[in-house]
Amino acid sequence: MEKIKFDFNNMFSASIGSAHGVSQQDIDEILPEARLCAGHLKKIIANPQARVNLGLEWVVLFKQDKKEIAKLQKLGKEIAKKYENVISLGIGGSYLGLKAAQDALCAPYYNEFKPLRKRSPRFYLEGNNMDPDTLQVLLKHLLPKKTFVIIISKSGETTESKAAFALVEAWLKKGVGKRYGRQILAITDPQSGTLREKVKREQKKDALSFRAFPILKGVGGRFSEFNMGLIHLAIAGVNIQELFSGVKEMFDRCSQDDILKNPAYMYALLHTILYRKKAKSLAILMPFSQTLKSTADWYVQLLAESLGKKYHRKIEVDNDGVENWLADEGSLFSKGRTPISAAGTNDLHSIQQNNVEGEDNKVLTFIRVEHFRTDLKIPGKGDLLSGKSFSALMHLAQEATEWALASENRPNCTIIMPRVSAYNWGALLFFFEMATAFEGELLNINAFDQPGVEGYKNYMYYKLGKPGIAQDIANEIKNHPLIKDPKYIL
Ligand code: PA5
């Protein structure tokens, strides 16, 4: 299989000058620190208990038992054969990976055209927003008997997916009758949470209803595509073993100790230098492929939730040598590069103006796809474009965008993906995950929690009257209400 390549040339001062590029001295200065971080990460990854405790179990998901994967593919096929539609409910990490996978690995316009779906059902991803309009339309037009429902929530408590599931469950019950639970699959925490409790209750009534898969311990939502996302891949007929081969290949490359040869470590290292020394705080991911736009959206969550943190990490080691990571409230961080998702060539007529001439605070990552699944040739004669292929123009546009930025001394790098296959896509996701984990080490923060997401949830729970809200949180909300001075409402 052809491997992904990484071109970091335009990150260096040789290409873009010393005011904005990384110099050899910058690399030499950071390397001792980076080697310590790499050693620390390696130690955690090698220790199963530490991996689970600290949220790094996702690193080994590609090693899942082949027989279990074969069973999963079989179940996927059965669901695909029986149903015309799959509604999947989930948000954040329980949604973005599915959307990214569907757009990358299923044919474009998959839902619209039956021959493209082959024997697979249409997919509808819901429960990722409180907007009532979309779900309403869906439930009005789909037939419950022809629809399979997957609810994904690690906690089982997330408002968006919980609310949507309540509605979809009632719709299914009404349309299918007593055995509606056989059309539901729940992916949630292996032991705890309200969704797991519901699974247990429903299975007691009917053992064939509410089939369930676990989101494994130590696998956080945004790192869970190779766990919670597998059944979707199986239903869509994607070869999971091929995907895992790609992940394994990238795992091997990203396990190299030599930081300068390790693509994920280099990616994180160069971005960290540019962030610390050149104030490049915006990270724009711009795949030159429409099918990878949602992968860029997935990456936004990965980077934002993993690296945008208030406090540094305090490492405590217990008597057995096991680490615990706590927020060090005495050491304010309040940083983290801000990710933005874009797409070439669409956004060359949008954000690109700002990228080239606007505030000089960005690093762009392009994804260049070498071979598209198909190609189109522009008909006619005599025009500049006549006889040219779309893929050649796409490649030229990507090269031109690199040039336009480099000529303005703006840092950028390119991930060269041979093709958007399960093998390469799996490798791509894993690369970003490892790069993010390593950047967390360099920043000395906990990349595997997301305490900042709790603020809005707490406020909603408080206003909804949820029992058990901690007193300090309730006081904080009571004592700091939103100010709505009419003077400023025009
Ligand atoms: O990365 C994460 O852990 C979060 O984004 C969660 O995936 C998201 O909040 C959804 O949570 P849950 O799966 O518990 O519904």
Coordinates of all heavy atoms in Angstrom, one line a residue, residues 455 459 462-463 471-484:
G455 N -19.2 24.0 31.4 CA -19.8 25.3 31.8 C -21.2 25.4 31.2 O -22.1 25.7 32.0
Y459 N -24.9 25.1 33.3 CA -25.9 26.2 33.3 C -27.2 25.7 32.9 O -28.3 26.0 33.5 CB -25.4 27.3 32.4 CG -26.2 28.6 32.3 CD1 -25.9 29.6 33.2 CD2 -27.3 28.7 31.5 CE1 -26.7 30.8 33.2 CE2 -28.1 29.8 31.5 CZ -27.8 30.9 32.3 OH -28.6 32.0 32.3
Y462 N -28.7 23.5 35.6 CA -29.2 24.3 36.7 C -30.6 24.9 36.3 O -31.5 24.8 37.1 CB -28.2 25.4 37.0 CG -28.6 26.4 38.0 CD1 -28.6 26.1 39.4 CD2 -29.1 27.7 37.6 CE1 -29.1 27.1 40.3 CE2 -29.5 28.6 38.5 CZ -29.5 28.3 39.8 OH -29.9 29.2 40.8
K463 N -30.7 25.5 35.1 CA -31.9 26.1 34.7 C -33.0 25.0 34.5 O -34.2 25.3 34.7 CB -31.7 26.9 33.4 CG -30.8 28.1 33.5 CD -31.6 29.2 34.1 CE -30.7 30.4 34.4 NZ -31.4 31.6 34.8
Q471 N -23.1 22.8 44.9 CA -23.5 24.1 45.5 C -22.7 25.2 44.9 O -23.2 26.3 44.5 CB -23.4 24.0 47.0 CG -24.2 25.1 47.7 CD -25.7 25.2 47.2 OE1 -26.4 24.2 47.2 NE2 -26.1 26.4 46.8
D472 N -21.3 25.0 44.8 CA -20.5 26.0 44.3 C -20.8 26.4 42.8 O -20.8 27.6 42.4 CB -19.0 25.7 44.4 CG -18.6 24.4 43.7 OD1 -19.5 23.5 43.5 OD2 -17.5 24.3 43.3
I473 N -21.2 25.4 42.1 CA -21.6 25.7 40.7 C -22.9 26.5 40.6 O -23.1 27.5 39.9 CB -21.8 24.4 39.8 CG1 -20.4 23.7 39.7 CG2 -22.4 24.6 38.5 CD1 -20.4 22.4 39.1
A474 N -23.9 26.1 41.5 CA -25.2 26.7 41.6 C -25.0 28.2 42.0 O -25.6 29.1 41.4 CB -26.1 26.0 42.5
N475 N -24.1 28.4 43.0 CA -23.8 29.8 43.5 C -23.2 30.6 42.4 O -23.6 31.8 42.2 CB -22.9 29.7 44.7 CG -23.6 29.2 45.9 OD1 -24.8 29.1 46.0 ND2 -22.8 28.7 46.9
E476 N -22.3 30.0 41.7 CA -21.6 30.7 40.6 C -22.6 31.2 39.6 O -22.5 32.4 39.1 CB -20.6 29.8 40.0 CG -19.8 30.2 38.7 CD -18.7 31.2 39.0 OE1 -18.3 31.3 40.2 OE2 -18.3 31.9 38.0
I477 N -23.6 30.4 39.2 CA -24.6 30.7 38.2 C -25.5 31.8 38.8 O -25.8 32.8 38.1 CB -25.4 29.5 37.7 CG1 -24.4 28.5 37.0 CG2 -26.5 29.9 36.8 CD1 -25.0 27.1 36.7
K478 N -25.9 31.6 40.1 CA -26.8 32.6 40.7 C -26.1 34.0 40.8 O -26.7 35.0 40.6 CB -27.2 32.1 42.1 CG -28.6 31.7 42.2 CD -29.0 31.4 43.6 CE -28.5 30.0 44.0 NZ -28.7 29.6 45.4
N479 N -24.9 34.0 41.2 CA -24.2 35.2 41.5 C -23.6 35.9 40.3 O -23.2 37.1 40.4 CB -23.0 35.0 42.5 CG -23.6 34.4 43.8 OD1 -24.8 34.7 44.2 ND2 -22.8 33.7 44.6
H480 N -23.5 35.2 39.2 CA -23.0 35.9 38.0 C -24.0 35.7 36.8 O -23.7 35.0 35.9 CB -21.6 35.3 37.6 CG -20.6 35.6 38.7 ND1 -20.2 34.6 39.6 CD2 -19.9 36.7 38.9 CE1 -19.3 35.2 40.4 NE2 -19.1 36.4 40.0
P481 N -25.2 36.3 37.0 CA -26.2 36.1 35.9 C -25.7 36.9 34.6 O -24.9 37.8 34.7 CB -27.4 36.8 36.4 CG -27.0 37.7 37.5 CD -25.7 37.2 38.0
L482 N -26.2 36.5 33.5 CA -25.8 37.2 32.3 C -26.4 38.6 32.3 O -27.5 38.8 32.8 CB -26.5 36.5 31.1 CG -25.8 35.2 30.6 CD1 -26.8 34.5 29.6 CD2 -24.5 35.5 30.0
I483 N -25.6 39.6 31.9 CA -26.1 41.0 32.0 C -26.8 41.3 30.6 O -26.3 41.0 29.6 CB -24.9 41.9 32.2 CG1 -24.4 41.7 33.6 CG2 -25.4 43.4 32.0 CD1 -23.0 42.3 33.9
K484 N -28.0 41.8 30.8 CA -28.8 42.0 29.6 C -29.3 43.5 29.6 O -30.5 43.8 29.7 CB -30.0 41.1 29.5 CG -29.7 39.6 29.3 CD -29.2 39.4 27.9 CE -28.7 38.0 27.7 NZ -28.0 37.8 26.5

